[in-house]
Amino acid sequence: MEGYGLFLVLLVSALLLGFLSVLFALIWVFHYREGLSWDGGSAEFNWHPVLIITGFVFIQGIAIIVYRLPWTWKCSKLLIKFIHAGLNTIAMILAIVSLVAVFDFHNAKNIPNMYSLHSWIGLAAVIFYTLQLVLGFAVFLLPFAPVSLRASLMPIHIYSGLLIFATVIATALMGFTEKLIFALKNPAYSTSPPEAIFVNTLGLLILIFGALILWMATRPHWKRPPEQNSKIQQPNGGTPEGTEEESTMTDCSNTDKSDVEFNSEAAARKRNLKLDEVGQRSTM
Amino acid sequence: MEGYGLFLVLLVSALLLGFLSVLFALIWVFHYREGLSWDGGSAEFNWHPVLIITGFVFIQGIAIIVYRLPWTWKCSKLLIKFIHAGLNTIAMILAIVSLVAVFDFHNAKNIPNMYSLHSWIGLAAVIFYTLQLVLGFAVFLLPFAPVSLRASLMPIHIYSGLLIFATVIATALMGFTEKLIFALKNPAYSTSPPEAIFVNTLGLLILIFGALILWMATRPHWKRPPEQNSKIQQPNGGTPEGTEEESTMTDCSNTDKSDVEFNSEAAARKRNLKLDEVGQRSTM
């Protein structure tokens, strides 16, 4: 992998920022607010930021870059697809539970639902995310879609995934703004009490987290190399980007784990040879 | 150009959404608010959304995709760079004037500056945008930077440009949220008066505008083809992406305007031949 050191630095930074964001969300609701419970009160509302930041920001971010982790390139692409889909499913469930918490809180307090721009864009993001997940499952995970359909939908899948992720972060920033204006009355948000500074900082953390994820996800030289042993199944054709047939590997145990090398072409060639061997073994 | 029809549809849609957003901003401040003036009152504040949407959203969006317009591919890259830099400079000036309007309004009304997450991220966006413009001018417009520096900075320039653009849209959405909560008291934002629905819709318009610009800017097959006649100046070397030497053309008049063709490779080859001729003419 070209620039492996830089990739590691960015990955560790993103993980740290992600963990820190979740930690900040927990400190926000436990130290500055009413904690967490499911009683129709403010402590039920508090599940909303905690679950959105944990699931819809952090876990979604990791799901986006899971293909980029070079030590997973020895695993079958199908396995990584399951991990990608699984993480996104967890994120979707947490996002939906977080919406239920807000609607429940609003209904208990007789606060109207769906009046704010935050709620409009946020609900749209959850709906598009669910659609993206269902379509991704049907086209890229189930074995029925033709290669040509996969190839034509892959750029749209990638673009809409990144767009939804960016929109989720924008929506979270709008949510922080709303909550700080509504919750901070005495002292007011405009007087910059500690909670205001703290949550503004949380906003910066998730913005930088998002920027790192988007950088890592859009570097062409950090892309997972095409599945080589698929060529054994289709010996006459190259496999266009995103259209590889499933590997015959189902986990990482078929390859030699001690032999992780990331030194450019030599290592890639060596890896491809190994994958060829694996392909031959598993198709025997 | 591959998919020229779709490109045109998206371009026209983006332009319509952009114009509509500026129109909505004007209707917002003239119909629902106090109009525009420079007197320290609310009408001075109103310059802020109008100039941000006009300059920092719409003009910046057009500046991003100006290289993608296929009818400019016959013009010299230097000319398009000047248009790109010029549009971004206009956007920067409008953004700075819009900040002055807000600071002026806050100071006149004794409202603290820079307390909100919107203001933190917004000011950071203006600062990074200015840095991006100055660095872009020094590296890509002035003739001093070596080709290797241009090549290594180009991916960062593109990524940070798109990131700043997305961040500006996110910040605008936070700004709408703030303004609607502060300005709508009787009836309140939560009761969804016409102004609330109107400005929420404006938020959706700029979000979709941004999504279209980002789609057009990130399709590899809609990229401006490399400047071919630069090879005449450097006959021994290919020119890596983003590192082309300046064309010897200075405007679009040197090529045959009647001969605009966008039909894939044949047209590209034909265009390259013409560019070679132009290069020979202009270096004679």
Side-chain angles (χ1 to χ4, degrees), chain A residues 17-49:
Chain A
L17 283 167
F19 279 121
L20 210 55
S21 300
V22 174
L23 187 66
F24 264 55
L26 288 170
I27 293 173
W28 183 18
V29 302
F30 279 106
H31 179 67
Y32 291 107
R33 300 273 122 216
E34 309 79 9
L36 295 171
S37 74
W38 202 272
D39 56 3
S42 295
E44 182 169 341
F45 171 89
N46 292 343
W47 281 107
H48 184 62

Side-chain angles (χ1 to χ4, degrees), chain B residues 23-278:
Chain B
L23 187 66
F24 263 54
L26 289 170
I27 294 174
W28 183 19
V29 301
F30 279 105
H31 179 67
Y32 291 107
R33 298 276 123 215
E34 309 78 7
L36 295 171
S37 75
W38 201 272
D39 56 2
S42 296
E44 182 169 341
F45 171 88
N46 292 344
W47 282 108
H48 185 62
V50 168
L51 294 180
I52 287 290
I53 291 167
T54 307
F56 225 19
V57 176
F58 185 41
I59 297 177
Q60 185 185 176
I62 302 306
I64 285 172
I65 54 155
V66 79
Y67 290 105
R68 305 273 157 161
L69 307 175
W71 48 89
T72 69
W73 292 351
K74 297 173 82 184
C75 308
S76 82
K77 188 158 186 183
L78 186 61
L79 175 68
I80 308 302
K81 280 186 187 182
F82 270 112
I83 295 172
H84 177 72
L87 289 172
N88 278 310
T89 305
I90 294 170
M92 185 195 68
I93 292 168
L94 296 185
I96 290 173
V97 173
S98 90
L99 288 200
V100 174
V102 174
F103 278 87
D104 228 36
F105 165 75
H106 280 176
N107 295 340
K109 299 272 182 196
N110 280 322
I111 299 169
N113 289 302
M114 298 304 304
Y115 68 86
S116 70
L117 184 54
H118 166 78
S119 65
W120 287 23
I121 296 177
L123 187 65
V126 174
I127 292 170
F128 278 107
Y129 190 71
T130 308
L131 274 175
Q132 167 93 340
L133 195 58
V134 171
L135 270 173
F137 185 83
V139 173
F140 299 110
L141 252 180
L142 296 182
F144 310 121
V147 169
S148 59
L149 182 68
R150 290 186 178 193
S152 59
L153 284 187
M154 181 52 84
I156 298 170
H157 181 77
I158 293 172
Y159 169 80
S160 46
L162 299 183
L163 180 68
I164 291 169
F165 178 64
T167 305
V168 163
I169 289 181
T171 312
L173 300 179
M174 295 162 75
F176 296 159
T177 299
E178 268 192 18
K179 182 67 186 175
L180 289 172
I181 295 174
F182 289 140
L184 294 175
K185 291 299 182 194
N186 193 15
Y189 188 21
S190 62
T191 63
S192 294
E195 183 178 348
I197 305 289
F198 187 82
V199 180
N200 283 0
T201 307
L202 171 57
L204 294 186
L205 289 179
I206 68 164
L207 185 65
I208 302 168
F209 171 78
L212 289 179
I213 295 291
L214 290 173
W215 174 264
M216 284 188 279
T218 53
R219 292 314 91 195
H221 55 284
W222 287 344
K223 223 174 137 62
R224 181 187 163 98
E227 201 89 332
Q228 292 299 321
N229 60 335
S230 62
K231 286 180 182 164
I232 295 161
Q233 296 170 293
Q234 295 194 315
N236 295 327
T239 53
E241 185 185 330
T243 65
E244 304 95 311
E245 289 296 299
E246 294 320 327
S247 160
T248 47
M249 290 189 287
T250 53
D251 57 39
C252 306
S253 62
N254 288 345
T255 50
D256 180 5
K257 281 202 170 100
S258 67
D259 186 30
V260 181
E261 292 182 76
F262 303 111
N263 284 327
S264 72
E265 289 185 354
R269 276 197 300 274
K270 199 167 174 184
R271 190 164 59 241
N272 295 348
L273 279 172
K274 283 185 181 296
L275 286 167
D276 282 350
E277 287 164 25
V278 172

Side-chain angles (χ1 to χ4, degrees), chain A:
Chain A
M1 182 192 225
E2 190 191 328
Y4 180 57
L6 177 61
F7 179 84
L8 270 192
V9 168
L10 295 179
L11 179 67
V12 170
S13 307
L15 287 172
L16 275 178
L17 283 167
F19 279 121
L20 210 55
S21 300
V22 174
L23 187 66
F24 264 55
L26 288 170
I27 293 173
W28 183 18
V29 302
F30 279 106
H31 179 67
Y32 291 107
R33 300 273 122 216
E34 309 79 9
L36 295 171
S37 74
W38 202 272
D39 56 3
S42 295
E44 182 169 341
F45 171 89
N46 292 343
W47 281 107
H48 184 62
V50 168
L51 294 181
I52 287 290
I53 291 166
T54 307
F56 225 20
V57 176
F58 185 41
I59 295 177
Q60 185 185 176
I62 302 305
I64 285 173
I65 54 155
V66 79
Y67 291 105
R68 305 273 157 160
L69 308 175
W71 47 90
T72 69
W73 293 350
K74 298 172 82 182
C75 308
S76 83
K77 189 159 184 184
L78 186 62
L79 175 69
I80 308 303
K81 280 187 187 182
F82 270 112
I83 294 172
H84 178 72
L87 288 173
N88 278 310
T89 305
I90 293 170
M92 185 196 66
I93 292 168
L94 296 185
I96 290 172
V97 174
S98 89
L99 288 199
V100 174
V102 174
F103 279 87
D104 226 38
F105 165 74
H106 280 177
N107 295 340
K109 298 273 182 195
N110 281 322
I111 299 170
N113 289 303
M114 298 303 304
Y115 69 84
S116 71
L117 183 56
H118 166 78
S119 66
W120 287 21
I121 297 178
L123 188 64
V126 173
I127 291 170
F128 279 106
Y129 190 72
T130 308
L131 273 175
Q132 166 93 342
L133 195 58
V134 171
L135 268 173
F137 185 82
V139 173
F140 300 109
L141 250 180
L142 295 183
F144 310 121
V147 169
S148 60
L149 181 69
R150 291 186 177 193
S152 60
L153 285 187
M154 181 52 82
I156 299 170
H157 181 77
I158 292 172
Y159 170 79
S160 47
L162 299 183
L163 180 68
I164 292 169
F165 177 65
T167 305
V168 164
I169 288 180
T171 312
L173 300 179
M174 296 162 73
F176 296 159
T177 299
E178 268 192 17
K179 182 66 187 175
L180 289 173
I181 295 174
F182 289 140
L184 294 174
K185 291 297 181 196
N186 193 14
Y189 187 21
S190 61
T191 63
S192 294
E195 183 178 348
I197 305 289
F198 187 82
V199 179
N200 284 359
T201 307
L202 171 57
L204 294 186
L205 289 179
I206 68 165
L207 185 66
I208 303 168
F209 171 77
L212 289 179
I213 295 292
L214 290 173
W215 174 263
M216 284 189 280
T218 53
R219 292 316 91 195
H221 54 285
W222 286 345
K223 224 174 136 60
R224 180 189 162 98
E227 203 90 328
Q228 292 299 320
N229 58 336
S230 63
K231 287 182 181 164
I232 294 162
Q233 295 169 293
Q234 295 194 315
N236 295 328
T239 51
E241 182 183 329
T243 64
E244 305 93 310
E245 289 294 301
E246 294 317 329
S247 161
T248 47
M249 291 188 287
T250 53
D251 57 38
C252 305
S253 61
N254 289 346
T255 50
D256 181 4
K257 281 201 171 102
S258 66
D259 187 27
V260 182
E261 290 181 78
F262 303 111
N263 284 323
S264 71
E265 290 183 355
R269 275 197 300 275
K270 200 166 174 184
R271 190 164 58 242
N272 296 348
L273 278 172
K274 283 184 180 297
L275 286 166
D276 282 349
E277 286 166 25
V278 171
Q280 279 160 354
R281 270 208 306 277
S282 54
T283 50
M284 274 196 297

